[in-house]
Amino acid sequence: MKLSILYLLFMLMCFSATSQDRKSVIYKSDKFTVYSDSVIQSPCKAFVLSPEHLISNYQGVKDEKCYAQPNYSDWKLTTDLTSFPRYKSNIQLVDAFYNLSVEEMLKDVRSDGAFMAGEAWTGVWTRDISYSIDLALAIINPEASKISLMKKVQNKKIIQDTGTGGSWPVSTDRVVWSLAAWEIYKVTGDKEWLANAFQIIKNTANDDQLTINNHATGMRFGESSFMDWRSQTYPAWMEPIDIFHSQDLGTNAVHYRTYQILSLMARELKLPDAEYKAAAAKIKDGINRYLWMKDKGYYAQYLYGKNYSIISKRSDALGEALCVLFGIANPAQQKQIIANTPVTEFGTPCIFPQIPNSFSYHNNSVWPFVQAYWTLAAAKAGNQKAVLQSIATIYRVAALALSNRENLVATNGDYKTTAGSSPRQLWSVAGNLSMVFKLYYGMDFQTDGIRFKPFVPQSIEGNKTLSNFKYRDAVLNIELKGFGNTVKSFVVDGKKMKEPFISADLKGTHSVVIELNNHFPNTGKINFRNVDSSLPTLTWEQKGDFVILKQDAKIRKYVGFKNGVQFIETTNNRIKLLSEGKYAEYMFKAIDDKGYETFSDKPLITIAKDKVLNVEAEQYADKANYNATGYTGDGYVELSKTQNTNFPFRITIPEEGDYFIDFRYANGSGSTTDDNKCAVRTLFNDAKNVGAVVLPQRGGNEWSNWGYSNALKVHLTKGEHQFYLRFVPNVNDNMNLEVNTAILDAIRVIRIH
């Protein structure tokens, strides 16, 4: 809707008066200012005309400057919200965002009762709904939350959304479903829901344990949680199998929390929980052992490589926040993470530094739902500065866009020039609502009630009321006074309580008054940085026993790794290899003049030819005909749910030792970036389970596109060994269930030492 000139002038006069009142400033930076009734990124402006009416003249960013349109657009509340909790405060901007977000939440409910991911994403996506439900939607709409989660269950297991290399087990963050399921139980106390959810999560975790567990690190394989556009997160050389082999911070944080939740659920159901606690402990130990960067004071993005791995020293905002919130980081680490992780003027970018020469979506981007988790993590760490800046970045984009947008460009805050930024994006909606429920009121839902841990920055002080808040069999009217993160008094129906806690047994309508102590122990600090990029992935060429690394004027030094262990740091771009005829896997990084590391290029593997055995698959089964070319030997065989489901082959080992075994295959069932037809098998050495063999998609109908599976390490004695590559029903099911197909060219056996 366009507003009349007279109405606009009246509004501007009103704003001019309030803008001079210093008390109305919530947050001010060099880029924008958030007031209690407006957001200004001059000349772009958004105003609150009432808690049910917002206007904005934002047009976008041009030449890195905010660009205002001549007329104002507006949002007016048109939905009846009386059945939901009502929020009111002395800050109209926050009141309006609350109403906007509740309305957008309702508009995101489909005709089947489930949540869509956003206006532009009408499907039900596991990670979108799960993070949204965990943030706030279990609190405000538990029934739609239940329906949504059950849409993402198949055969009593969680569905992984379509993704890299054909979905699971390359993409492995589906267990985020568990966070949402547990939050629903804590909010509702629904025992039937608990029992059903427990079985679903348990079944899923059992498959993951057999397929994506890295026994060496204790962590889980799989790509970055939610950041599923591979070129935005990984170096270009990494194929889906390499992404499967990576071990990501955020994904592992979610797996850790999943086992915690299984333990808590088991206790509620009076079942043994020791195995879940032990699994959680291993993942936590792996994250802290392999990903914590003591010199930086936050976690690394992921481990990556081939058969040996090194860390990517980029930060991962979601992963960092989840490690704080889930207690993977200890209290000292939590404070370090919030103070040291790079933050930009327009928010905490998904990764830092950025990948050069790539568009904005996950790279060079801020996502409000990630920002919400970051805000809650900052509150847990007691960092008022970080909380306030984080809130402001969420409010800025919602005000200027008149909607909870999907993402924005980190360099300039624009939401119109990313690869896609849907209006009323569900998890952005939930992130905005979580600021009221989980930040200001600090609602921590537990199995026996709600514990309140409010966090109100000083510039957002004042009386706040949340009325008609429905919790199990009670209706609460909650008043919150003052600022700070310590409760001075907690009064229920006029009676002062010993602790800020509401029992789950409470029934009827009750008044609650929470008064804060108007104090923060310390304000904290923020690591503000420009939106910097690293140099491009370091490339090289091998010349005999030397590797020649690419030079660049900005490179200050090179770092080399052999089998995952650093062996050299030098300014010389000519480095001698140290293979000595044994298996060696080299990776190299460059460090630029700002101290940022490049990605390593594809690992350079050196091995004597006599240490590699190749076994042709067609020796052990009938040849298939997929019109494929480029195979070795005389042909190849089909692996499907009907053909060669128990494929046998023999290997004669010349000397006892450790070996890598992998498989040369093609999978033309779908693209490298989408679909759900990743082929999965289990390798057996006689009757012993060696491990999962993952055969991701390599391109739609590209049956001549050959590559290698993941490698499995096995100790073999001298002599002949019988192996079986089996399709194990249920365990090896992919997300498609019907198509689980690859063609197998050869088996490769590599002597390690």
Side-chain angles (χ1 to χ4, degrees):
M1 178 188 300
K2 304 301 181 185
L3 300 182
S4 72
I5 298 297
L6 289 176
Y7 187 57
L8 177 59
L9 288 172
F10 173 75
M11 178 276 303
L12 288 173
M13 289 172 63
C14 293
F15 170 74
S16 179
T18 59
S19 66
Q20 303 307 312
D21 182 357
R22 295 185 60 181
K23 291 183 179 180
S24 70
V25 176
I26 292 175
Y27 175 83
K28 185 177 180 62
S29 75
D30 292 338
K31 301 293 185 181
F32 66 94
T33 303
V34 177
Y35 296 91
S36 60
D37 59 357
S38 54
V39 171
I40 307 298
Q41 187 178 335
S42 187
C44 300
K45 302 172 183 178
F47 305 108
V48 182
L49 302 186
S50 80
E52 299 178 352
H53 194 182
L54 285 165
I55 64 170
S56 170
N57 70 351
Y58 184 82
Q59 179 65 22
V61 173
K62 187 176 182 181
D63 299 326
E64 298 306 308
K65 294 182 179 179
C66 206
Y67 181 51
Q69 61 187 0
N71 297 308
Y72 278 73
S73 298
D74 72 341
W75 163 81
K76 275 188 176 180
L77 180 66
T78 59
T79 305
D80 181 5
L81 305 183
T82 54
S83 63
F84 292 92
R86 300 306 305 269
Y87 175 78
K88 291 184 179 181
S89 71
N90 60 316
I91 301 176
Q92 283 199 331
L93 190 74
V94 180
D95 299 358
F97 288 149
Y98 179 84
N99 291 331
L100 166 70
S101 299
V102 176
E103 180 177 65
E104 291 197 324
M105 178 271 295
L106 289 172
K107 288 183 176 180
D108 277 340
V109 178
R110 309 189 318 174
S111 60
D112 61 359
F115 290 120
M116 64 179 75
E119 183 179 291
W121 305 97
T122 57
V124 184
W125 301 88
T126 301
R127 64 176 67 90
D128 295 59
I129 60 167
S130 297
Y131 281 123
S132 302
I133 292 165
D134 178 58
L135 277 167
L137 302 190
I139 299 172
I140 198 167
N141 199 337
E143 292 310 311
S145 296
K146 288 179 182 178
I147 293 169
S148 301
L149 288 186
M150 293 312 297
K151 290 279 184 184
K152 304 307 296 183
V153 174
Q154 186 172 241
N155 290 351
K156 296 288 283 185
K157 298 176 187 177
I158 304 163
I159 297 171
Q160 180 74 44
D161 297 324
T162 58
T164 301
S167 189
W168 186 87
V170 178
S171 305
T172 58
D173 66 344
R174 59 180 174 164
V175 290
V176 69
W177 192 97
S178 66
L179 278 62
W182 180 237
E183 192 71 5
I184 288 172
Y185 171 67
K186 290 189 295 179
V187 169
T188 65
D190 186 335
K191 291 286 187 180
E192 183 179 351
W193 171 261
L194 174 68
N196 191 32
F198 173 76
Q199 193 60 54
I200 291 166
I201 299 167
K202 178 183 176 182
N203 294 344
T204 305
N206 287 345
D207 282 359
D208 284 348
Q209 178 71 22
L210 293 170
T211 308
I212 65 172
N213 182 31
N214 185 331
H215 297 283
T217 65
M219 292 192 289
R220 299 296 185 261
F221 294 121
E223 75 175 341
S224 303
S225 181
F226 109 86
M227 293 185 284
D228 57 346
W229 286 24
R230 54 193 295 272
S231 65
Q232 291 276 292
T233 318
Y234 293 94
W237 63 264
M238 289 182 70
E239 298 180 349
I241 194 60
D242 302 310
I243 292 174
F244 159 78
H245 193 263
S246 68
Q247 295 158 77
D248 173 72
L249 177 66
T251 298
N252 273 280
V254 169
H255 280 277
Y256 165 76
R257 182 59 180 160
T258 295
Y259 280 103
Q260 273 195 325
I261 287 167
L262 279 170
S263 172
L264 293 166
M265 285 182 163
R267 270 187 263 168
E268 284 290 298
L269 295 167
K270 304 192 184 312
L271 296 171
D273 73 323
E275 65 174 298
Y276 309 124
K277 291 170 71 174
K282 286 181 180 178
I283 297 172
K284 179 179 179 178
D285 181 69
I287 292 172
N288 282 303
R289 184 186 298 268
Y290 294 100
L291 294 178
W292 177 252
M293 299 185 294
K294 187 176 181 180
D295 60 327
K296 291 185 178 293
Y298 53 86
Y299 291 100
Q301 181 183 21
Y302 50 63
L303 291 172
Y304 71 113
K306 286 287 187 182
N307 297 317
Y308 296 95
S309 297
I310 62 175
I311 61 171
S312 166
K313 289 192 173 183
R314 284 175 166 81
S315 63
D316 171 350
L318 178 60
E320 311 290 350
L322 295 182
C323 285
V324 172
L325 292 168
F326 298 161
I328 295 168
N330 64 39
Q333 287 175 311
Q334 291 169 18
K335 293 182 184 300
Q336 290 180 65
I337 288 167
I338 301 304
N340 295 324
T341 300
V343 172
T344 73
E345 290 281 5
F346 292 108
T348 310
C350 293
I351 62 171
F352 189 95
Q354 309 310 306
I355 298 173
N357 306 315
S358 184
F359 55 89
S360 176
Y361 189 64
H362 296 125
N363 191 64
N364 186 21
S365 186
V366 173
W367 287 59
F369 98 90
V370 175
Q371 198 69 54
Y373 276 114
W374 181 259
T375 312
L376 298 175
K380 184 176 181 182
N383 191 320
Q384 183 189 197
K385 276 188 178 179
V387 168
L388 187 58
Q389 191 263 350
S390 194
I391 294 168
T393 62
I394 293 173
Y395 289 167
R396 184 201 71 88
V397 69
L400 296 176
L402 300 175
S403 181
N404 288 288
R405 284 280 180 165
E406 183 176 359
N407 52 47
L408 53 129
V409 181
T411 48
N412 57 30
D414 185 35
Y415 63 84
K416 294 191 173 187
T417 50
T418 74
S421 185
S422 173
R424 68 163 201 265
Q425 189 73 9
L426 187 71
W427 45 21
S428 300
V429 169
N432 208 326
L433 288 171
S434 73
M435 296 300 94
V436 170
F437 297 133
K438 292 195 171 182
L439 181 69
Y440 302 146
Y441 280 87
M443 293 182 180
D444 179 10
F445 288 85
Q446 300 176 358
T447 57
D448 59 347
I450 312 172
R451 188 165 297 280
F452 291 83
K453 303 174 182 178
F455 193 110
V456 180
Q458 187 168 359
S459 62
I460 305 180
E461 68 175 312
N463 284 12
K464 301 168 177 59
T465 60
L466 189 65
S467 57
N468 192 38
F469 183 81
K470 298 168 185 174
Y471 171 61
R472 300 197 184 183
D473 294 327
V475 176
L476 307 177
N477 297 304
I478 315 170
E479 185 176 1
L480 178 62
K481 299 179 179 181
F483 72 90
N485 62 347
T486 302
V487 174
K488 181 179 179 181
S489 68
F490 189 82
V491 177
V492 179
D493 297 332
K495 181 180 179 181
K496 189 171 183 178
M497 311 302 289
K498 291 183 179 180
E499 55 180 347
F501 182 79
I502 292 291
S503 172
D505 297 329
L506 199 66
K507 293 178 172 57
T509 300
H510 300 272
S511 68
V512 179
V513 180
I514 307 170
E515 186 175 353
L516 301 178
N517 70 344
N518 294 334
H519 175 70
F520 281 102
N522 58 73
T523 57
K525 67 175 185 175
I526 303 173
N527 183 17
F528 276 117
R529 306 293 285 273
N530 293 326
V531 186
D532 295 329
S533 296
S534 68
L535 292 173
T537 298
L538 181 64
T539 57
W540 58 75
E541 60 177 328
Q542 184 180 0
K543 290 188 176 181
D545 292 336
F546 289 85
V547 62
I548 311 301
L549 305 174
K550 182 179 179 180
Q551 291 180 299
D552 187 290
K554 294 182 179 180
I555 292 176
R556 292 294 173 263
K557 60 183 176 180
Y558 301 94
V559 183
F561 301 83
K562 176 187 173 185
N563 295 345
V565 178
Q566 182 177 326
F567 75 93
I568 192 170
E569 182 176 308
T570 180
T571 58
N572 192 339
N573 75 315
R574 188 173 184 266
I575 298 176
K576 184 174 174 56
L577 302 175
L578 309 172
S579 60
E580 301 173 348
K582 296 180 180 179
Y583 181 92
E585 187 173 308
Y586 293 94
M587 299 180 76
F588 300 93
K589 301 178 184 179
I591 300 175
D592 67 17
D593 51 8
K594 292 182 179 179
Y596 301 142
E597 289 190 346
T598 66
F599 280 132
S600 170
D601 204 348
K602 185 176 182 179
L604 170 63
I605 296 174
T606 62
I607 182 70
K609 290 184 178 180
D610 63 355
K611 301 297 184 182
V612 181
L613 299 173
N614 286 287
V615 179
E616 294 296 333
E618 68 272 16
Q619 295 178 17
Y620 296 95
D622 293 337
K623 298 177 188 177
N625 182 13
Y626 276 68
N627 294 319
T629 60
Y631 52 85
T632 62
D634 295 328
Y636 49 87
V637 304
E638 177 184 328
L639 301 176
S640 68
K641 293 185 71 172
T642 58
Q643 298 295 312
N644 298 307
T645 57
N646 187 28
F647 176 75
F649 61 93
R650 293 184 299 278
I651 300 174
T652 301
I653 298 299
E655 53 184 335
E656 182 174 357
D658 291 331
Y659 292 82
F660 286 132
I661 300 177
D662 58 13
F663 300 84
R664 190 170 191 260
Y665 81 100
N667 182 346
S669 301
S671 76
T672 59
T673 59
D674 204 356
D675 219 322
N676 60 1
K677 303 185 182 79
C678 180
V680 189
R681 297 295 182 273
T682 301
L683 179 65
F684 290 86
N685 180 7
D686 293 321
K688 183 180 179 181
N689 185 331
V690 178
V693 176
V694 180
L695 309 163
Q697 297 169 182
R698 296 184 59 81
N701 294 315
E702 293 187 25
W703 295 102
S704 297
N705 185 341
W706 301 96
Y708 283 95
S709 71
N710 59 311
L712 295 173
K713 185 178 179 181
V714 59
H715 185 85
L716 297 173
T717 57
K718 182 178 179 179
E720 186 174 87
H721 292 264
Q722 180 69 51
F723 287 87
Y724 299 91
L725 190 61
R726 291 177 181 156
F727 174 76
V728 181
N730 197 38
V731 172
N732 294 147
D733 280 333
N734 59 17
M735 294 297 100
N736 185 270
L737 294 182
E738 298 298 323
V739 178
N740 195 321
T741 300
I743 55 176
L744 179 63
D745 180 30
I747 301 97
R748 182 172 64 174
V749 185
I750 303 172
R751 175 70 189 273
I752 307 172
H753 53 75

